[in-house]
Amino acid sequence: MKLNGFPENFLWGGATAANQCEGGYNEGGKGPGVVDTIPWGPDRMAVMKGEKDWRTLPEDSYFPGHEAIDMYHHWREDLALFHELGFKCYRFSIAWCRIFPTGFETEPNEEGLRFYEEMIDACLGYGIEPLVTLCHFDQPLALVDAHGGWRSRKNIDAFLRYCEAVFRRFKGKVRYWLTFNEINMLMHLPYGGAGICFRSGEDREKVLYQAAHHELVASALAVKLAHEIDPENKVGCMLAGGSFYPWSCNPMDVLTAQQKDHVKIGRALV
């Protein structure tokens, strides 16, 4: 390694998310997911914030996630371009509802597993390290309808069933995992981040913090499961944006940074 250079094994690359790029929303045995109900247009933010039920949208509403950039049908071409760019790592997410269409199945959808396995094998063939996000603003819509999304602890068992299926299927092929993408985004976009649509008169702050607790428990249990299945797995999580850092170790600077973090969270709860 050169003094001012990167080590040879530095994982330089790029990232996508299934909910933003795949499309193929009703192909390959995939069930409907949260992203499939998020519209484009004036109602988009209201739905993502859990303030408006997508079922009340106009019939001609447009849902961009249904097609996205159609990576579902073009991933081979995309990977070839990534290789041409010199990617050493490719972070992508698995659509939970492509593996368990409703979240209640006891056995995973084989067609969905094969789709990702082919993509993972192609990455490895190019010398590109796959880094897989398990939940990138994505969950089966049936779990939202039945449980109210991550407001319910029942989502944890469904999530772990999904995690176990992919950990076992891709053992030895995927070494790097993220449990949740931007886990704190449920505080800003409750429906987009956690499948939460608020009910009339309920304590929104209580709902959000309870949902955050459920996701954090699910994340911790998924990490434990990943290491049990393959001790070589490396598992992390991801936060949106970033924290405020103190200017110095002066206690007043530290306190100011903490207060700014609290204000940022508080704005998300308004």
Coordinates of all heavy atoms in Angstrom, one line a residue, residues 10 43 47 68 74 76 96-97 105 108-109 111 132 138 153 160 166 169 181 195 202 237 253:
F10 N -9.3 -2.5 -1.3 CA -10.3 -1.5 -1.0 C -11.5 -1.7 -1.9 O -11.4 -1.9 -3.1 CB -9.7 -0.1 -1.3 CG -10.7 1.1 -1.0 CD1 -10.8 1.5 0.3 CD2 -11.4 1.7 -2.0 CE1 -11.7 2.5 0.6 CE2 -12.3 2.7 -1.7 CZ -12.4 3.1 -0.4
D43 N -49.4 13.5 -4.3 CA -49.7 12.6 -3.2 C -48.5 11.8 -2.7 O -48.6 11.1 -1.7 CB -50.8 11.7 -3.5 CG -52.1 12.4 -3.8 OD1 -52.5 13.3 -3.0 OD2 -52.8 12.0 -4.8
V47 N -48.2 10.0 1.2 CA -48.3 8.5 1.3 C -47.0 8.1 2.0 O -47.1 7.2 2.9 CB -48.4 7.9 -0.1 CG1 -48.2 6.3 0.0 CG2 -49.7 8.1 -0.7
A68 N -39.6 1.2 -12.8 CA -38.3 1.8 -12.5 C -37.4 1.9 -13.7 O -37.9 2.3 -14.8 CB -37.7 0.9 -11.4
H74 N -32.5 -6.2 -17.3 CA -31.3 -5.7 -17.9 C -30.1 -5.8 -17.0 O -29.1 -5.2 -17.3 CB -31.5 -4.3 -18.4 CG -32.6 -4.1 -19.4 ND1 -32.3 -4.4 -20.8 CD2 -33.9 -3.7 -19.3 CE1 -33.4 -4.1 -21.4 NE2 -34.4 -3.7 -20.6
R76 N -27.8 -8.0 -16.5 CA -26.6 -8.5 -17.1 C -25.8 -7.4 -17.8 O -24.6 -7.3 -17.7 CB -26.9 -9.6 -18.1 CG -27.4 -10.9 -17.4 CD -27.7 -12.0 -18.4 NE -28.2 -13.2 -17.7 CZ -29.4 -13.4 -17.2 NH1 -30.3 -12.5 -17.4 NH2 -29.7 -14.5 -16.6
W96 N -37.6 -8.3 -0.5 CA -38.1 -9.2 0.5 C -39.3 -10.0 -0.2 O -39.4 -11.2 -0.1 CB -38.5 -8.5 1.7 CG -39.1 -9.2 2.9 CD1 -39.4 -10.6 2.9 CD2 -39.3 -8.7 4.2 NE1 -39.9 -10.9 4.1 CE2 -39.9 -9.8 4.9 CE3 -39.2 -7.5 4.7 CZ2 -40.3 -9.6 6.3 CZ3 -39.6 -7.3 6.1 CH2 -40.1 -8.3 6.8
C97 N -40.2 -9.2 -0.8 CA -41.4 -9.8 -1.4 C -41.1 -10.6 -2.7 O -42.0 -11.2 -3.2 CB -42.5 -8.8 -1.6 SG -42.0 -7.3 -2.4
E105 N -45.3 -17.1 4.0 CA -45.0 -18.4 3.4 C -43.9 -19.1 4.4 O -43.1 -18.4 5.0 CB -44.4 -18.3 2.0 CG -45.3 -17.8 1.0 CD -45.4 -16.3 0.9 OE1 -44.7 -15.6 1.7 OE2 -46.2 -15.8 0.1
P108 N -39.4 -20.3 0.8 CA -39.1 -19.2 -0.1 C -39.5 -19.5 -1.6 O -39.6 -20.6 -2.0 CB -37.6 -18.9 0.1 CG -37.1 -20.3 0.4 CD -38.1 -20.9 1.3
N109 N -39.6 -18.4 -2.3 CA -39.9 -18.5 -3.7 C -38.6 -18.8 -4.5 O -37.7 -18.0 -4.6 CB -40.5 -17.1 -4.2 CG -40.7 -17.0 -5.7 OD1 -40.9 -18.0 -6.4 ND2 -40.5 -15.8 -6.2
E111 N -37.9 -19.1 -7.6 CA -37.6 -18.2 -8.8 C -36.9 -16.9 -8.3 O -36.0 -16.4 -9.0 CB -38.9 -17.9 -9.6 CG -38.6 -17.3 -10.9 CD -39.8 -17.2 -11.8 OE1 -40.9 -17.8 -11.5 OE2 -39.7 -16.6 -12.9
V132 N -24.9 -7.1 0.2 CA -26.3 -7.2 0.1 C -27.1 -6.5 1.2 O -26.8 -6.8 2.4 CB -26.8 -8.7 0.0 CG1 -28.3 -8.8 0.0 CG2 -26.2 -9.4 -1.3
D138 N -38.4 -1.8 2.0 CA -39.1 -2.8 1.3 C -39.7 -3.9 2.3 O -38.9 -4.3 3.2 CB -38.2 -3.5 0.3 CG -38.8 -4.6 -0.5 OD1 -40.0 -4.3 -0.9 OD2 -38.2 -5.6 -0.8
R153 N -44.6 -6.2 16.5 CA -43.5 -7.1 16.8 C -43.5 -8.4 15.9 O -42.5 -9.1 15.7 CB -43.5 -7.5 18.3 CG -42.2 -8.1 18.8 CD -42.3 -8.4 20.2 NE -41.0 -8.9 20.7 CZ -40.0 -8.2 21.2 NH1 -40.2 -6.8 21.2 NH2 -38.8 -8.7 21.6
L160 N -36.9 -12.5 10.1 CA -35.9 -13.5 10.3 C -36.1 -14.7 9.5 O -35.0 -15.3 9.1 CB -35.9 -13.9 11.8 CG -35.5 -12.7 12.8 CD1 -35.6 -13.2 14.2 CD2 -34.1 -12.3 12.5
V166 N -32.1 -16.4 2.8 CA -31.0 -15.9 2.0 C -29.6 -16.1 2.5 O -28.7 -16.3 1.8 CB -31.3 -14.4 1.6 CG1 -32.5 -14.2 0.8 CG2 -31.3 -13.5 2.9
R169 N -29.0 -19.7 1.5 CA -28.8 -19.9 0.0 C -27.5 -19.3 -0.5 O -26.9 -19.9 -1.4 CB -30.0 -19.2 -0.7 CG -30.0 -19.4 -2.2 CD -30.1 -20.8 -2.6 NE -30.3 -20.9 -4.0 CZ -31.4 -21.4 -4.6 NH1 -32.4 -21.7 -3.8 NH2 -31.6 -21.4 -5.9
N181 N -31.4 -0.6 5.4 CA -30.9 0.7 4.8 C -31.5 1.9 5.5 O -32.8 1.9 5.7 CB -31.3 0.7 3.3 CG -30.9 2.1 2.7 OD1 -29.7 2.4 2.5 ND2 -31.9 2.9 2.5
G195 N -43.6 1.0 6.5 CA -45.0 0.5 6.2 C -46.0 1.0 7.2 O -47.1 0.3 7.4
E202 N -54.2 8.5 16.9 CA -53.1 7.8 17.7 C -51.9 8.6 18.0 O -51.7 9.7 17.3 CB -52.7 6.5 16.9 CG -51.9 6.7 15.7 CD -51.6 5.4 15.0 OE1 -51.6 4.3 15.7 OE2 -51.2 5.4 13.8
C237 N -25.3 -2.1 9.5 CA -26.6 -1.4 9.3 C -26.2 -0.1 8.7 O -25.0 0.2 8.4 CB -27.3 -1.2 10.6 SG -29.1 -0.8 10.4
D253 N -19.5 21.9 23.6 CA -19.6 21.5 22.2 C -20.3 20.2 22.1 O -21.1 19.9 21.2 CB -18.2 21.4 21.6 CG -17.6 22.8 21.4 OD1 -18.4 23.8 21.3 OD2 -16.4 22.9 21.3

